Amino acid sequence: MTQIRLAAGLTALGALVWVLGALAPWSRIGENTYPGLKGSEVAWVVAVLVVLVAATSGVAGRAVAAAARWTLLPVAALALLLTVVIMIDVATSTAADVAQRVDGPTLTRKNAWGVWVSLLGAIVATAAGIVAILAPSPRAAVQPVS
């Protein structure tokens, strides 16, 4: 197994963990929870990730794998950035940003467990994207025909 295929597999694992976390609750206001992604958003994310991982793993050929590995890191880093921004947004939201009760205490918005799962998946996928870029090019293994 080449380093690029291993990195593509780790990216797929990280992306799967990210998507599973995104389907879980990302924020909580009182007893209500809100997921990170909804149905159609998940379908697009999964489709893009399947194409990227298939291309990078070498299923489409060595030349495609060499070119596609450069897309793993930006996509994974974007997922990591999105997750961190949402975590900061939830943690710094003020009372004016969240639902209020007419009678009773003010409700606060908190990060739920799904955002932590997504953060872990994004970190794994980003690390795998770095490994994919640092791996030797599959083109170097091909000998020119004389």
Side-chain angles (χ1 to χ4, degrees), residues 1 19 55 87 138 140:
M1 178 177 279
V19 169
M87 289 177 77

Side-chain angles (χ1 to χ4, degrees), residues 7 10-12 14-15 18 72-81 118-133:
L10 285 174
T11 302
W18 188 87
L72 288 177
L73 183 57
V75 170
L78 184 62
L80 180 61
L81 179 66
S118 289
L119 180 64
L120 176 66
I123 289 171
V124 168
T126 302
I130 292 169
V131 169
I133 287 177

Side-chain angles (χ1 to χ4, degrees), residues 2-3 15 23 27 34 38 41 48 62 80 84 87 90 92 101 108-109 117 128 146:
T2 65
Q3 288 178 339
L23 293 172
S27 66
Y34 303 94
K38 298 193 174 43
E41 296 167 338
V48 168
R62 289 180 183 231
L80 180 61
V84 169
M87 289 177 77
V90 169
T92 60
R101 291 187 183 174
T108 59
R109 187 175 173 196
V117 172
S146 301

Side-chain angles (χ1 to χ4, degrees), residues 1-145:
M1 178 177 279
T2 65
Q3 288 178 339
I4 293 178
R5 286 184 186 216
L6 179 61
L10 285 174
T11 302
L13 176 66
L16 178 64
V17 170
W18 188 87
V19 169
L20 291 175
L23 293 172
W26 268 24
S27 66
R28 185 176 64 235
I29 301 174
E31 296 177 6
N32 297 326
T33 58
Y34 303 94
L37 297 177
K38 298 193 174 43
S40 62
E41 296 167 338
V42 171
W44 280 105
V45 168
V46 169
V48 168
L49 292 172
V50 165
V51 169
L52 281 176
V53 170
T56 308
S57 65
V59 173
R62 289 180 183 231
V64 174
R69 70 183 173 152
W70 293 98
T71 60
L72 288 177
L73 183 57
V75 170
L78 184 62
L80 180 61
L81 179 66
L82 171 71
T83 306
V84 169
V85 166
I86 289 174
M87 289 177 77
I88 292 170
D89 179 50
V90 169
T92 60
S93 60
T94 63
D97 297 332
V98 297
Q100 303 292 315
R101 291 187 183 174
V102 176
D103 295 325
T106 301
L107 296 175
T108 59
R109 187 175 173 196
K110 298 178 181 176
N111 285 314
W113 65 270
V115 77
W116 296 103
V117 172
S118 289
L119 180 64
L120 176 66
I123 289 171
V124 168
T126 302
I130 292 169
V131 169
I133 287 177
L134 296 176
S137 175
R139 291 182 187 178
V142 177
Q143 298 297 326
V145 178

